[in-house]
Amino acid sequence: MAMSGMRGLSVFISDIRNCQNKEQERLRVDKELGNIRTRFKNEKALTPYEKKKYVWKMLYIYMLGYDVDFGHMEAVSLISAPKYPEKQVGYIVTSSLLNENHDFLRLAINTVRNDIIGRNETFQCLALTMVGNIGGREFAESLAPDVQKLLISSSCRPLVRKKAALCLLRLYRKNPDVVNVDGWADRMAQLLDERDLGVLTSSMSLLVALVSNNHEAYWSCLPKCIKILERLARSQDIPQEYTYYGIPSPWLQVKTMRALQYFPTIEDPNARRSLFEVLQRILMGTDVVKNVNKNNASHAVLFEALALVMHLDAEKEMMSQCVALLGKFIAVREPNIRYLGLENMTRMLMVTDVQDIIKRHQAQIITSLKDPDISIRRRALDLLYGMCDVSNAKDIVEELLQYLSTAEFAMREELSLKAAILAEKFAPDLSWYVDVILQLIDKAGDFVSDDIWFRVVQFVTNNEDLQPYAAAKAREYLDKPAIHETMVKVSAYILGEFGHLLARRPGCSPKELFSIIHEKLPTVSTSTISILLSTYAKILMHSQPPDPELQNQIWAIFKKYESSIEVEIQQRAVEYFELSRKGAALMDILAEMPKFPERQSALIKKAEDTEVDTAEQSAIKLRAQQQSQTSNALVVTEQSHANGTPSVGQLSLVKMPSMSSHVDGNSADPRLSPENGTLTVVDSQPSSADLLGDLLGPLAIEGPPSINVHPQPSSNPGSDGTVVEATAIVPVGEQANSVQPIGNIAERFHALCVKDSGVLYEDPYIQIGIKAEWRGHQGHLVLFLGNKNTSPLVSVQALILPPMHLKMELSLVPDTIPPRAQVQCPLEVINLHPSRDVAVLDFSYKFGNDMVDVKLRLPAVLNKFLQPISVSAEEFFPQWRSLPGPPLKLQEVVRGVRPLPLLEMANLFNSYHLLVCPGLDPNPNNLVASTTFFSESTRAMLCLIRIETDPADRTQLRMTIASGDPTLTFELKEFVKEQLVSIPTTTRIPIQQTPTSPVAQPTSAPAALTDPGAMLAALL
Amino acid sequence: MHKLQCWIDKMGIRFVLMVNKQGQTRLAQYYEYLTLEERRTLEGEIVRKCLARNEHKCSFVEHRNYKIVYRRYASLFFLVGVDDGENELAILEFIHLLVETMDRHFGNVCELDIMFHLEKVHFMLEEMVVNGCIVETSKANILTPVQLLDKAS
């Protein structure tokens, strides 16, 4: 007997099952719907049993995908049935059929409330579950206090309380105000002392939501979470029912570790230690076993532990352990583990310092790009994209291009976009960039947007070296039999402009160029024909002396298109025809295009934008309604930021008169509006604003008086400049104090002095990472500005205060860092002459009402321009002797040295690129080191160092430094002294003072020069 | 950089589907409101995608803004849509827990049990998931209301 005795329902289900096709099914369903409708018309005659039966049929039909637009009232009315079976059906069917805004639901509010506050446990559960699933704002307002009471009531059994927890979660999402944070935080902490694992499981979900909105308030829950995790990990007091294949509730373990990831950090050393113990045990103790279920469950816990370790910024050793584990995973046979290994490795890229270890797995990741499973290929693609930088861009992009030839349609668009972005971001040279884009157009022209080929044209036009190469490449592609129309466009454009540079090559005479381009004309669309006409005019102009035959051919084409119905084509044809008969004037008018002004790549900008809101974007399609309902809290907070911050900028702009304010108003709008949700209004604005900016820029200078001209040309830096000035008057420190940096800034700086990548600065809103490559006297640094929040950081400004000896150029830093985005800002450094002065980055941004301004020393320090060099005894001594004494060779006795064993001192030297050459000095207490220093004034210059230590007193030593340049010798001596005397981690003089005046240098130098002589005498 | 922090308050499970290998829906439970049209489209797309995969492929499929975690038992596919960022293996085993729970109740559960006892499966799921969050993982506790109902009838 099926369906608890509902025979009619069973029959109906059997009928549906026996339907041969969709049409029969529809007929049967329609018949049934008609039947139910007539039954419901005479509702009073229905027994509760019959009602129940029909309501189930409705649900069944709805599940099959048919609309059920009646009978809702009957379903809702069952909620108030006195008996459990009917009531239960009422609740379940209501929450399946109705959405939270349904009017009938409001009618049930009282019944639901009565069930919740009533004495019947099972009724309580039903009501809490339904409200938990579909309760709306009204439910939140009228039921929240009752639900809270149940959740913490000691007289309530776990089965009710676990439902109350998730019910409260729903109500909280509908209206965050229903939970009074101050009062509730303590209750929440108490709740986590609960022993029942069902209550804990659901409370943990509630906690995640609460903490993610306001982690500060729930600080006291953090140690409780760690306790719960310890209890589970040690399997203490875990009932058999909650053990899954020998693992204490993997779901609760996962959820607890997830909750911990919503706290920004764990400061209490004890809590941190116990947590790391548990994590270490999970990392090390998870073995692969035969049973699939056990394996999955234990790896679910393991992957969550990995995520938590990453979040906690564990020590490098543990991080490397994690990467090693993931490296193992991405190579296993089990596809699930391979997929998750790749996914988590991508997340791991967010952690600084491990990128290099991840790069070691590049070959394996590339193999995954060829996996038969598209899910895995996607993960591999994301990972490769994320790990790409200047060092491996060539390899990775070439792999992507290769894969593009065989990739299925579903992946081609993403692939080509990613390849284009990487090529532009990390191109080691521009000819490579042109190569990549042309290949992309060739292989996947449909997915290469105009932005991309415009960019190629821009690069080629602006770089003369590139022009013959690009023209030759374009010419090569034209030989291919069937080429994409975009290829025709870009080739025609480039050959029109620069084809004459190829004139001496075979197949590249004006006539040959013309004919091979003209071959394509019959197959292309009108927009391309316009480009071709321009190309012909240019070819004509470049064919000197004029070739009458070619001239006639091209004139004939112009003549033909003079009557084109396309205005653009017609106009070009008429004008080019007339122009080409003017002889010399043609040369002027059709001369090479001027260089394009530099502007941000539209592609990269677009990529940055989409990276941020791909999730939201696709969500819009499907969940537009739901979003505003489920995550009210989130939307509200974001809006308040969006409304709050830029309006400041707007106000200041409004004061500006006429044109300039217009332009600014436009350019500010598109940024603002998407966040406010009025997408439609500004849809076409960004491009027109750009255009306006270009067109109106020069005009504004003639028009308004000078005061207005000043802020106009660059709206953002202008308005921000005033903000910065204002804060400069107010003591900077006080303002910045409201946001505390995470970690010790000085320590981070010193760590970066000896390594090339890591975190320079971090606070709750932003993380500034740095990655550097040093070659000779040049440095290529990249600042990674990562917005950690879901709201944008605005008024972002980065100013470099370079010392005299460094030439530094920071690329444009965007005014706004979009939510969760990371912006990369390259910084080029050139070392002009030796100096120990330090460059400072003055970085400021605004988040909400917090204006943060920090001054950070940049690790572009002297030792970065050193390259260790190994010197033999035969080389060393002649050099040493050839530098007789001051000012090229300086000696100093240094006291107060941090006592170090000789070996450690050697390591210290090596870490600063002063290569210790063992065996050169016969005295075992001495060290000899050599290095090459690079700067523009000194070029590569050998430096020799000798340290004589006193085994009886490790706190003093004598050092002698020699090089071919007096300033270098002095600076290097002082530098080495600093490293030996001070302990690198101590905080030094406030950085604002570091850019010392260059005058100070020579005066201090002679003083020091007199010093060693005296010291030497004393020692001898 | 710390993207991990930014899985802000997601629901977790967005829907649970049971579909047989002919693509017929045997159970559909959504934890977010979608119109019937949206459901039909979504189910069609997902079923097409997942059923085409063989057993050598992984159990996760990315679709729109969802991640589908799925598992096949004989003729029946269990498909769970979750937010990106959800722990996939935990969901995969949650599916198995659901199957084991049904097994404990029906004994050797099969597609027909689910078809003809749709209400019971709903009751079980209702005990396991509320508002997209896992609420109970003890089979005994999950089955209590169903047994209560059996006694009543």
Side-chain angles (χ1 to χ4, degrees), chain A residues 518-688:
Chain A
H518 192 52
E519 268 175 31
K520 317 290 177 200
L521 189 133
T523 58
V524 297
S525 62
T526 50
S527 67
T528 309
I529 294 180
S530 309
I531 295 175
L532 294 188
L533 292 183
S534 303
T535 302
Y536 299 161
K538 293 248 171 182
I539 291 179
L540 202 54
M541 184 269 289
H542 279 302
S543 56
Q544 294 302 337
D547 173 347
E549 196 191 328
L550 179 64
Q551 206 168 33
N552 287 334
Q553 260 181 305
I554 294 179
W555 279 350
I557 295 165
F558 289 159
K559 273 278 156 215
K560 178 183 162 199
Y561 282 104
E562 268 181 9
S563 51
S564 167
I565 50 163
E566 290 290 330
V567 179
E568 181 65 34
I569 295 179
Q570 187 189 37
Q571 186 172 1
R572 284 191 196 210
V574 171
E575 287 179 4
Y576 291 149
F577 182 74
E578 289 306 321
L579 280 169
S580 62
R581 294 159 68 108
K582 285 200 186 319
L586 177 70
M587 303 283 276
D588 286 343
I589 295 162
L590 289 178
E592 217 164 88
M593 291 294 283
K595 290 188 175 171
F596 291 88
E598 284 305 322
R599 55 172 66 155
Q600 200 198 352
S601 155
L603 175 66
I604 290 195
K605 199 173 172 311
K606 208 159 63 181
E608 280 164 359
D609 294 350
T610 47
E611 258 166 47
V612 180
D613 43 47
T614 26
E616 282 99 297
Q617 238 184 14
S618 38
I620 286 168
K621 288 185 198 150
L622 203 68
R623 279 191 286 133
Q625 297 162 292
Q626 184 65 15
Q627 266 215 331
S628 59
Q629 295 161 6
T630 50
S631 57
N632 250 342
L634 194 73
V635 174
V636 169
T637 50
E638 280 197 353
Q639 263 185 350
S640 71
H641 283 300
N643 288 335
T645 41
S647 65
V648 178
Q650 261 196 332
L651 275 179
S652 62
L653 291 171
V654 171
K655 287 182 204 149
M656 281 178 234
S658 67
M659 262 168 186
S660 53
S661 70
H662 264 287
V663 175
D664 289 333
N666 276 346
S667 60
D669 263 346
R671 208 174 33 143
L672 249 174
S673 319
E675 287 158 349
N676 285 341
T678 52
L679 273 166
T680 43
V681 190
V682 288
D683 219 21
S684 60
Q685 288 246 342
S687 58
S688 69

Side-chain angles (χ1 to χ4, degrees), chain A residues 410-582:
Chain A
M411 273 190 85
R412 303 189 84 184
E413 178 165 13
E414 202 185 342
L415 251 175
S416 37
L417 189 66
K418 288 198 156 141
I421 293 169
L422 293 179
E424 175 161 353
K425 260 191 179 165
F426 302 117
D429 55 77
L430 289 174
S431 57
W432 180 79
Y433 171 73
V434 171
D435 272 350
V436 170
I437 302 300
L438 291 181
Q439 281 190 60
L440 264 183
I441 297 174
D442 186 37
K443 290 179 169 174
D446 283 346
F447 301 118
V448 178
S449 64
D450 283 347
D451 289 345
I452 300 176
W453 80 263
F454 289 172
R455 192 77 174 155
V456 171
V457 166
Q458 187 189 334
F459 276 135
V460 175
T461 309
N462 291 8
N463 292 278
E464 275 151 39
D465 308 349
L466 200 58
Q467 291 161 1
Y469 180 81
K473 275 281 159 190
R475 176 66 188 79
E476 270 176 41
Y477 276 105
L478 286 178
D479 278 335
K480 287 194 143 197
I483 57 172
H484 194 271
E485 188 166 335
T486 305
M487 187 64 91
V488 177
K489 287 181 185 172
V490 68
S491 307
Y493 187 96
I494 290 177
L495 288 173
E497 287 290 320
F498 311 113
H500 61 281
L501 300 172
L502 304 176
R504 299 194 183 168
R505 304 196 193 185
C508 297
S509 69
K511 209 169 162 177
E512 285 163 311
L513 287 184
F514 164 74
S515 61
I516 194 152
I517 295 173
H518 192 52
E519 268 175 31
K520 317 290 177 200
L521 189 133
T523 58
V524 297
S525 62
T526 50
S527 67
T528 309
I529 294 180
S530 309
I531 295 175
L532 294 188
L533 292 183
S534 303
T535 302
Y536 299 161
K538 293 248 171 182
I539 291 179
L540 202 54
M541 184 269 289
H542 279 302
S543 56
Q544 294 302 337
D547 173 347
E549 196 191 328
L550 179 64
Q551 206 168 33
N552 287 334
Q553 260 181 305
I554 294 179
W555 279 350
I557 295 165
F558 289 159
K559 273 278 156 215
K560 178 183 162 199
Y561 282 104
E562 268 181 9
S563 51
S564 167
I565 50 163
E566 290 290 330
V567 179
E568 181 65 34
I569 295 179
Q570 187 189 37
Q571 186 172 1
R572 284 191 196 210
V574 171
E575 287 179 4
Y576 291 149
F577 182 74
E578 289 306 321
L579 280 169
S580 62
R581 294 159 68 108
K582 285 200 186 319

Side-chain angles (χ1 to χ4, degrees), chain B residues 50 74 133 141:
Chain B
C50 295
C133 297
N141 289 347

Side-chain angles (χ1 to χ4, degrees), chain A residues 742-769:
Chain A
I742 298 171
N744 183 322
I745 296 179
E747 269 172 35
R748 290 190 191 273
F749 169 73
H750 290 296
L752 283 168
C753 284
V754 287
K755 59 181 189 172
D756 285 334
S757 67
V759 176
L760 181 68
Y761 172 79
E762 184 167 7
D763 66 27
Y765 304 131
I766 196 167
Q767 188 182 52
I768 305 180

Side-chain angles (χ1 to χ4, degrees), chain A residues 211-223:
Chain A
V211 174
S212 69
N213 269 352
N214 181 358
H215 61 79
E216 270 134 24
Y218 295 93
W219 213 241
S220 56
C221 295
L222 194 146

Side-chain angles (χ1 to χ4, degrees), chain A residues 967-997:
Chain A
T967 326
L968 172 57
T969 305
F970 172 75
E971 290 291 324
L972 186 59
K973 181 191 66 146
E974 292 301 306
F975 175 80
V976 174
K977 198 163 76 182
E978 278 171 13
Q979 309 314 320
L980 291 173
V981 175
S982 75
I983 298 161
T985 48
T986 53
T987 16
R988 300 194 192 177
I989 342 128
I991 4 117
Q992 284 91 330
Q993 297 168 15
T994 32
T996 45
S997 66

